[in-house]
Amino acid sequence: MSFYEFTAPCHFGMEAVLKREIINLGYEITRVEDGRVSFRGEASAIARANVFLRTAERILLCIGRFKAYSFEELFEQTKALPWEEYLPSDARFWVKKASTAKSKLFSSSDIQSIIKKAIVERLKQTYRVSWFKEEGAIYPLRVFIYKDEVTIALDTSGESLHKRGYRKLSSKAPVSETLAAAILLLSPWNKDRILVDPFCGSGTFPIEAAMIGANIAPGMNREFTAEAWKNILPMKDWYEAVTEANDLIEDQIDMDIQGYDIDGEIIKNARQNAIDAGVDHLIHLQQRPVNALRHPKKYGFVITNPPYGERLEEKAALPELYTEIGEAFRRLDSWSYFVLTSYDQAEKYIGRKADKNRKIYNGMIKTYLYEFMGPRPPKRKKQEV
């Protein structure tokens, strides 16, 4: 039985959430770094990790790790790796991305070119050919160099895993699906608690929450690059992963998940996204401004990504908007609030210092996750038998 090492990149600061997800899938963690979690598994882990993991950006199959301080060392050590075990003679392969930090090798384009040449030289000797047609399945590579340690990996996912397949219609500056799922899993929210997003935009937070509550795997309705890698894992592994995911779905459950937005057209888009995700029956979406936010029940959660004010004319409106957010929060005084924003005056106008503040990057925008924790609900009394 062959075991492989995989690396799953994630949003910086969300490594613990992804680590827990991987352990729950039954895999052994090998290392945790800033923005990446590595683990061991059989070839079938390629399919299961891509289908089930909510907070990973992609699943990378590690081919090798080594130190390299010169381009000559990079070439020789790359060439020494057993590429024939991963790349068939007709494989189409290239280094899609090379990133480097705190290392002697810093030219991404040179790193990409040298690694490609080294692999070609290795495969020429193995397959005894002088030219590769590269007409078969695609095998994109990703390279990370940090403090002179090189990690070379095959990208099994293709498009980033945040592309679940349901969000064809987006609002301006949406939160990604993987980040939304990570924030939900980071919070104490669960399917038995009320959840409201008063700035729901494309509906990402409510949709991801409904998928978590109904146990709908995020990768069930999309394709992955590694589906074509018959030399590494058979198609039956993909069928088995999807069958396993289907068997775990519990979508006939009662949840109180609501999403509001002041823009009616955006709400229409969010409804269509919810339909495409198969969770429209589990969430309520409505056009409503934040100053109308009220709820009769206690101990709920607001998890939201309000406007940042990226343009100057929008920034001028932020004090009033965040004051309204604070007033809405005070009306729901037993609730907890998780607010993702790049607005550095958020606490001032909300009128309360956050219990916790995490720095998170939403795309290239530096944001903060402000956590305002409410009281815990009283424990339910056990019924007498």
Side-chain angles (χ1 to χ4, degrees):
M1 187 182 297
S2 296
F3 281 85
Y4 301 89
E5 184 175 14
F6 302 95
T7 292
C10 65
H11 282 275
F12 181 85
M14 294 300 180
E15 299 85 0
V17 180
L18 176 55
K19 178 183 174 182
R20 187 167 70 240
E21 274 203 283
I22 293 168
I23 290 170
N24 289 341
L25 263 188
Y27 299 117
E28 175 194 348
I29 303 295
T30 55
R31 63 161 73 181
V32 179
E33 304 162 277
D34 288 346
R36 291 203 295 274
V37 180
S38 299
F39 62 98
R40 290 179 78 245
E42 300 169 47
S44 59
I46 296 172
R48 294 186 72 239
N50 273 298
V51 168
F52 283 100
L53 292 180
R54 299 182 190 279
T55 62
E57 292 300 308
R58 58 186 68 249
I59 305 302
L60 305 175
L61 171 57
C62 295
I63 309 301
R65 274 198 184 97
F66 53 82
K67 290 279 189 176
Y69 303 94
S70 68
F71 286 125
E72 183 179 355
E73 285 182 309
L74 179 66
F75 180 90
E76 293 300 333
Q77 299 222 53
T78 300
K79 185 181 173 184
L81 296 173
W83 290 103
E84 63 278 3
E85 294 178 11
Y86 302 93
L87 302 176
S89 59
D90 64 347
R92 284 183 285 161
F93 62 95
W94 71 101
V95 180
K96 188 166 186 176
K97 185 176 180 181
S99 60
T100 176
K102 299 180 181 178
S103 302
K104 289 184 170 58
L105 303 179
F106 55 84
S107 169
S108 294
S109 58
D110 286 337
I111 291 165
Q112 289 171 291
S113 175
I114 286 165
I115 286 176
K116 169 80 176 188
K117 287 177 183 176
I119 298 170
V120 167
E121 286 304 310
R122 169 83 183 205
L123 294 181
K124 276 183 181 179
Q125 295 171 7
T126 305
Y127 293 124
R128 301 183 185 282
V129 294
S130 58
W131 179 258
F132 291 95
K133 292 183 179 180
E134 299 195 45
E135 297 173 337
I138 63 171
Y139 292 77
L141 290 147
R142 288 180 179 257
V143 179
F144 308 96
I145 306 180
Y146 182 69
K147 292 185 178 178
D148 301 308
E149 182 184 66
V150 182
T151 301
I152 305 180
L154 286 167
D155 181 357
T156 74
S157 303
E159 283 197 302
S160 172
L161 294 182
H162 81 266
K163 295 189 176 181
R164 318 289 207 212
Y166 68 74
R167 198 171 74 178
K168 300 175 183 70
L169 301 166
S170 290
S171 60
K172 184 175 63 176
V175 62
S176 76
E177 295 87 332
T178 46
L179 180 53
I183 291 170
L184 287 160
L185 293 172
L186 180 72
S187 78
W189 175 83
N190 63 62
K191 64 183 178 182
D192 298 322
R193 305 282 292 273
I194 307 155
L195 175 67
V196 176
D197 179 358
F199 300 95
C200 72
S202 304
T204 309
F205 274 122
I207 291 170
E208 289 294 319
M211 291 177 71
I212 290 169
N215 212 13
I216 299 171
M220 289 180 63
N221 298 310
R222 54 159 286 173
E223 296 177 342
F224 306 97
T225 295
E227 288 180 44
W229 298 357
K230 306 297 193 299
N231 60 313
I232 295 176
L233 74 163
M235 201 63 200
K236 75 176 181 62
D237 285 349
W238 294 97
Y239 294 141
E240 287 173 1
V242 172
T243 299
E244 179 187 357
N246 267 311
D247 290 344
L248 293 170
I249 293 174
E250 300 176 26
D251 68 345
Q252 298 306 311
I253 56 174
D254 291 323
M255 287 190 286
D256 192 343
I257 299 174
Q258 303 173 28
Y260 305 120
D261 201 282
I262 197 169
D263 189 324
E265 283 302 310
I266 284 177
I267 286 294
K268 285 181 185 177
N269 290 351
R271 286 196 183 113
Q272 187 58 56
N273 289 341
I275 290 167
D276 292 342
V279 296
D280 53 301
H281 62 297
L282 298 173
I283 60 181
H284 173 70
L285 297 164
Q286 183 181 342
Q287 183 179 2
R288 183 189 291 187
V290 68
N291 59 17
L293 177 60
R294 288 169 178 81
H295 202 288
K297 295 181 182 177
K298 290 190 170 187
Y299 308 113
F301 282 83
V302 170
I303 299 181
T304 193
N305 177 218
Y308 299 165
E310 292 305 305
R311 294 202 296 264
L312 284 175
E313 63 270 24
E314 293 173 336
K315 199 172 283 291
L318 291 184
E320 182 181 354
L321 176 64
Y322 280 78
T323 298
E324 289 181 346
I325 291 171
E327 289 169 354
F329 288 178
R330 283 187 285 280
R331 287 194 295 271
L332 301 170
D333 58 356
S334 67
W335 286 42
S336 298
Y337 318 98
F338 286 68
V339 180
L340 181 72
T341 180
S342 67
Y343 185 43
D344 58 7
Q345 299 294 304
E347 290 172 299
K348 174 183 174 181
Y349 290 104
I350 287 173
R352 176 179 165 187
K353 184 171 175 56
D355 297 297
K356 190 171 283 189
N357 175 5
R358 300 171 188 266
K359 188 191 296 182
I360 296 172
Y361 280 86
N362 183 14
M364 296 303 292
I365 302 171
K366 183 172 72 172
T367 62
Y368 302 92
L369 179 62
Y370 295 104
E371 302 177 19
F372 304 90
M373 299 306 299
R376 290 185 178 182
K379 290 184 178 179
R380 293 178 183 176
K381 292 181 180 179
K382 292 182 179 179
Q383 292 182 341
E384 294 183 9
V385 180

